[in-house]
Amino acid sequence: MIQVSITAEAISPDAETARFAALRGAACGAAVTFVGFCRGVSQQGDVMRLELEHYPGFTEREIGRITQAVAERHGVADILVMHRFGAISPGEAIVLVAALSAHRAAAFAAVEELMDYLKTDAPFWKREIGPSGARWIEPTAEDRRRREEHSK
Amino acid sequence: MIQVSITAEAISPDAETARFAALRGAACGAAVTFVGFCRGVSQQGDVMRLELEHYPGFTEREIGRITQAVAERHGVADILVMHRFGAISPGEAIVLVAALSAHRAAAFAAVEELMDYLKTDAPFWKREIGPSGARWIEPTAEDRRRREEHSK
Amino acid sequence: MTRLIFLGRLRDAAGHGERVVTLPAHVETVADLRSWLAAGDGDLGAALHERGIHVVVDQVICNRETENVRDASEIAFMPPLSGG
Amino acid sequence: MTRLIFLGRLRDAAGHGERVVTLPAHVETVADLRSWLAAGDGDLGAALHERGIHVVVDQVICNRETENVRDASEIAFMPPLSGG
């Protein structure tokens, strides 16, 4: 089952992962989970909070479409994507991606590809708020490189 | 912190992941978790249980040594490895590997490399017990291929 | 009536996240819309003409400046995506 | 006194997982030990001589058949690893 949730609520990664993993059938041999946290420090210094803007409707649909495509490409039936928007404090989870699969290679590939997409091309606009003000963030060169590499 | 546990007790992946992730500092941006489950079916048919034998002392030390090397190679300070031995029923977790890191690429690489090692070269001897008896298992060609690829 | 949406840093440039307008008769295409908005607010106009600004018409990304906007109920301007 | 450990399918071949023995004086090396065990149990001897069987002397993998075993307190025979 594909589950995509774009939410302003705090994400509890362990509770969500447990709930999702409970769906698995007898043929499931592998669960891969990624959690991305808001960091308290960045290249610009201390981070007080992040503000993530999304485009309601459009963002959900784009992420759902990409998730479906990744699931089909890797033959992974069960993928969970949860992504915060709004104000996020250091230490809080921003994103959770989990995949259940018979074998581990497909689950790793699906989660990594989705994260590469989510970190670079998902419809979010992000501001980092630090002691000296707010700053819009765009994907890093490293994010772009990983994305190119995986889309080869 | 490197934590390695080779245990006959059932593993609760979510509780362990939550406990481990609570150790993370303000610079941690990524948590990657892998859980391997005992499958109820294999290429040989139905699986009633797995029996994993280890070599007490030797197995712990070998896995600890490899985990430390992977942590250093990828610059990942926090890695958790938990591995069952003894009798394991379908649906139960056999192995849990988690890594905490500033960025996701290192965490994914560390967990994948450890899983490739654990699935092929860790000191365990595994028997699959099915309706028609018991059978010793050795790593699959796919396991070996992945391991070669990652050790390049 | 058309809802215009300004996302990310375009919200800062516009001074608001969205507004509802009645398009004048001469605004027929995406290009016309950009010019009309630029005529009303030079700073916003400059921001909307930057490289990498995408236009989304009724939640579908628009790839042609000649796309008609007269029947659109919602048009969004998106700066380069930040990712999550 | 030396503890001999038979792991995985070698346990099946030996009929037990471990035994404590007093090595006779002529058993000095890993090769001698294999031959002595084979003399006592032909099936086990055949299994111990298969390709891919590793010998672990006091928890350290032994790479030479000439390694001395007289001071060892624990010697394990490992079939190819299954992985977890």
Side-chain angles (χ1 to χ4, degrees):
Chain A
M1 188 188 312
I2 305 293
Q3 300 184 354
V4 172
S5 166
I6 311 301
T7 174
E9 305 294 315
I11 297 171
S12 299
D14 303 295
E16 297 295 342
T17 304
R19 179 190 59 71
F20 183 66
L23 301 176
R24 73 185 188 276
C28 175
V32 172
T33 306
F34 178 86
V35 186
F37 298 102
C38 177
R39 302 174 72 213
V41 290
S42 78
Q43 289 163 320
Q44 279 66 42
D46 290 345
V47 174
M48 291 156 56
R49 68 174 187 281
L50 290 181
E51 288 178 2
L52 242 75
E53 191 177 339
H54 76 313
Y55 179 9
F58 183 82
T59 298
E60 286 85 341
R61 199 164 41 247
E62 280 294 295
I63 293 178
R65 189 173 62 78
I66 299 287
T67 303
Q68 188 72 48
V70 166
E72 286 168 16
R73 182 152 55 246
H74 296 287
V76 173
D78 300 303
I79 299 184
L80 169 67
V81 175
M82 299 188 75
H83 206 298
R84 288 280 296 275
F85 66 87
I88 302 169
S89 300
E92 291 186 337
I94 301 172
V95 57
L96 166 66
V97 175
L100 303 174
S101 177
H103 301 289
R104 71 186 186 285
F108 274 118
V111 173
E112 287 193 72
E113 192 172 321
L114 269 171
M115 279 312 307
D116 287 349
Y117 161 71
L118 289 168
K119 290 296 282 185
T120 54
D121 289 338
F124 290 104
W125 297 274
K126 185 160 57 180
R127 267 201 308 194
E128 195 176 280
I129 288 90
S132 58
R135 194 179 74 89
W136 289 101
I137 308 287
E138 301 198 351
T140 66
E142 166 69 10
D143 286 332
R144 295 240 171 261
R145 191 194 58 75
R146 278 180 63 86
R147 177 107 177 92
E148 305 259 305
E149 194 167 276
H150 275 219
S151 65
K152 261 176 207 157
Chain B
M1 187 188 314
I2 305 294
Q3 299 184 354
V4 172
S5 164
I6 310 301
T7 175
E9 305 293 315
I11 297 171
S12 300
D14 303 295
E16 297 295 343
T17 304
R19 180 189 59 71
F20 183 65
L23 301 177
R24 73 186 188 276
C28 175
V32 172
T33 306
F34 178 86
V35 186
F37 298 102
C38 176
R39 302 174 69 213
V41 291
S42 78
Q43 289 163 320
Q44 279 66 41
D46 289 345
V47 174
M48 290 155 58
R49 67 173 188 281
L50 289 181
E51 289 177 1
L52 242 75
E53 191 176 340
H54 76 313
Y55 179 9
F58 183 83
T59 298
E60 285 86 342
R61 201 165 38 248
E62 281 292 296
I63 294 178
R65 190 173 61 79
I66 299 287
T67 303
Q68 188 71 48
V70 166
E72 286 168 15
R73 184 152 53 247
H74 296 287
V76 174
D78 300 302
I79 299 185
L80 169 67
V81 175
M82 300 188 75
H83 207 298
R84 287 281 295 276
F85 66 88
I88 302 168
S89 300
E92 291 186 337
I94 301 172
V95 58
L96 166 66
V97 175
L100 303 174
S101 177
H103 301 289
R104 71 187 186 284
F108 274 118
V111 173
E112 286 193 72
E113 192 172 321
L114 269 170
M115 280 311 306
D116 287 349
Y117 161 71
L118 288 167
K119 292 296 281 185
T120 53
D121 290 337
F124 290 105
W125 298 273
K126 186 161 56 180
R127 266 202 308 196
E128 195 176 282
I129 289 89
S132 58
R135 194 179 73 88
W136 290 101
I137 307 288
E138 302 197 352
T140 65
E142 165 69 9
D143 286 331
R144 295 238 171 263
R145 192 193 59 73
R146 276 181 64 86
R147 177 107 177 91
E148 306 261 305
E149 194 167 277
H150 276 219
S151 65
K152 262 178 209 159
Chain C
M1 306 282 275
T2 311
R3 180 187 306 267
L4 302 181
I5 297 179
F6 303 100
L7 292 157
R9 58 183 164 76
L10 295 179
R11 174 210 297 269
D12 296 348
H16 49 259
E18 56 181 79
R19 68 173 115 152
V20 175
V21 299
T22 301
L23 298 180
H26 72 274
V27 173
E28 293 187 342
T29 67
V30 166
D32 295 341
L33 177 59
R34 284 197 218 239
S35 301
W36 177 60
L37 290 169
D41 178 341
D43 289 347
L44 176 60
L48 293 180
H49 281 90
E50 275 172 27
R51 207 165 153 272
I53 304 293
H54 283 91
V55 181
V56 182
V57 177
D58 285 335
Q59 303 239 338
V60 175
I61 288 186
C62 159
N63 295 313
R64 293 173 303 119
E65 284 295 295
T66 56
E67 185 149 322
N68 194 292
V69 296
R70 294 222 57 88
D71 295 332
S73 59
E74 181 179 294
I75 300 172
F77 292 91
M78 299 198 311
L81 308 176
S82 295
Chain D
M1 305 280 275
T2 311
R3 179 188 305 268
L4 302 181
I5 297 178
F6 303 101
L7 292 157
R9 58 183 164 77
L10 295 178
R11 175 209 297 268
D12 295 348
H16 49 259
E18 59 180 77
R19 68 173 115 152
V20 174
V21 299
T22 300
L23 298 181
H26 71 272
V27 173
E28 293 186 342
T29 67
V30 166
D32 295 341
L33 177 59
R34 284 198 220 239
S35 301
W36 178 60
L37 289 169
D41 178 341
D43 289 347
L44 176 59
L48 294 180
H49 281 90
E50 274 172 27
R51 206 164 154 273
I53 304 293
H54 283 93
V55 181
V56 182
V57 177
D58 285 335
Q59 303 239 337
V60 176
I61 288 187
C62 160
N63 295 313
R64 293 173 304 120
E65 283 296 294
T66 56
E67 185 149 322
N68 193 290
V69 295
R70 294 224 56 90
D71 295 332
S73 58
E74 182 179 294
I75 300 171
F77 292 91
M78 298 198 312
L81 308 175
S82 296

